[in-house]
Amino acid sequence: MSATNSIVTLNVGGHIYTTTRSTLTSYPDSMLGAMFGGDFDALRDDQGRYFIDRDGTVFEHVLNFLRTSQLVLPEDFKELPLLEIEADFYQIRPLIEALRSYKTSLEHNKNEETCAHDIVFLTLAGRDFYGHGYSISVDASSTEVEDLVNHLMNTIGGNIDDKYMAALFGKLRDNGFTMQNHCMKSPPTENDSEYEREWTFERKNT
């Protein structure tokens, strides 16, 4: 067996790995490439294994990348920041770039999931149910959705009463929204007669 294909046993932070020297030198410009390419002497533990004082858990993913040149992580992977730190320590440039692309993809998917639904929150506040001074506040998942709801409210006009709310709910349904939640908050004290009623509407984006 040639020196480049010799088997190497590593102790990385107490985790034991077995691989080949050719795998560790896949990227000669990396720290591992220099370490096992003969550029400098490496530490060994009391068993003669090469010792690297780094996180041994995520090294599994570093080693897999050296073997395949592909970044494959579990769906529930929680150690991305740590893996980025380790990739930077080992100075494996292709892995650093792959992690950057992976992180960008995660952020893009998260934004798509966030934008997959339009959400509207309606809050009515006033005395009794539809008494004097009743007001409606609107919060939404985007400025565009909030503007749409305000426009629908302006097209109804009139006092805020049962007919007004029925008309508003009907217009929301016509625009693809369905009611997801409704609750009423009692006055915080016996001397306070102001009530709040809250509705949540949702619309799936297509």
Side-chain angles (χ1 to χ4, degrees):
M1 181 181 294
S2 66
T4 57
N5 287 328
S6 61
I7 295 174
V8 176
T9 301
L10 305 174
N11 178 348
V12 185
H15 293 254
I16 308 304
Y17 293 93
T18 301
T19 184
T20 63
R21 190 175 298 273
S22 60
T23 294
L24 295 170
T25 57
S26 298
Y27 299 98
D29 293 335
S30 69
M31 187 276 280
L32 290 171
M35 181 177 178
F36 292 97
D39 289 357
F40 58 85
D41 292 332
L43 286 175
R44 293 177 182 264
D45 65 12
D46 56 5
Q47 301 295 318
R49 297 171 294 216
Y50 289 98
F51 178 74
I52 303 175
D53 189 19
R54 301 296 296 186
D55 186 275
T57 304
V58 297
F59 186 76
E60 171 189 355
H61 305 293
V62 175
L63 187 56
N64 283 338
F65 185 85
L66 293 177
R67 288 167 172 158
T68 65
S69 295
Q70 296 181 12
L71 179 63
V72 181
L73 298 174
E75 289 186 6
D76 59 346
F77 187 64
K78 305 295 184 183
E79 302 293 344
L80 185 58
L82 179 58
L83 183 54
E84 289 178 304
I85 292 172
E86 296 304 291
D88 185 67
F89 172 80
Y90 293 115
Q91 284 298 293
I92 305 171
R93 292 295 174 185
L95 176 56
I96 293 171
E97 293 299 322
L99 285 167
R100 188 173 296 140
S101 298
Y102 177 81
K103 191 173 182 179
T104 300
S105 176
L106 286 181
E107 292 173 351
H108 177 72
N109 291 339
K110 183 177 180 180
N111 289 336
E112 281 192 341
E113 290 176 3
T114 301
C115 297
H117 295 79
D118 291 326
I119 309 294
V120 173
F121 302 97
L122 296 178
T123 302
L124 274 70
R127 302 186 182 282
D128 301 322
F129 286 108
Y130 298 111
H132 177 70
Y134 227 98
S135 63
I136 302 178
S137 62
V138 179
D139 289 307
S141 54
S142 69
T143 302
E144 292 76 9
V145 174
E146 186 172 336
D147 290 343
L148 169 64
V149 178
N150 285 323
H151 171 72
L152 296 177
M153 291 167 57
N154 289 335
T155 61
I156 300 172
N159 296 325
I160 301 174
D161 54 18
D162 288 325
K163 290 183 179 180
Y164 180 98
M165 298 306 299
L168 178 56
F169 294 163
K171 288 181 178 293
L172 287 170
R173 285 194 299 271
D174 292 342
N175 282 271
F177 289 92
T178 57
M179 186 185 298
Q180 300 298 315
N181 186 47
H182 170 223
C183 66
M184 184 177 70
K185 295 182 178 180
S186 300
T189 66
E190 293 181 359
N191 296 326
D192 190 347
S193 60
E194 185 168 293
Y195 286 79
E196 282 189 2
R197 300 180 71 179
E198 297 179 349
W199 290 265
T200 303
F201 290 83
E202 184 178 292
R203 176 178 67 182
K204 286 187 178 181
N205 290 329
T206 56

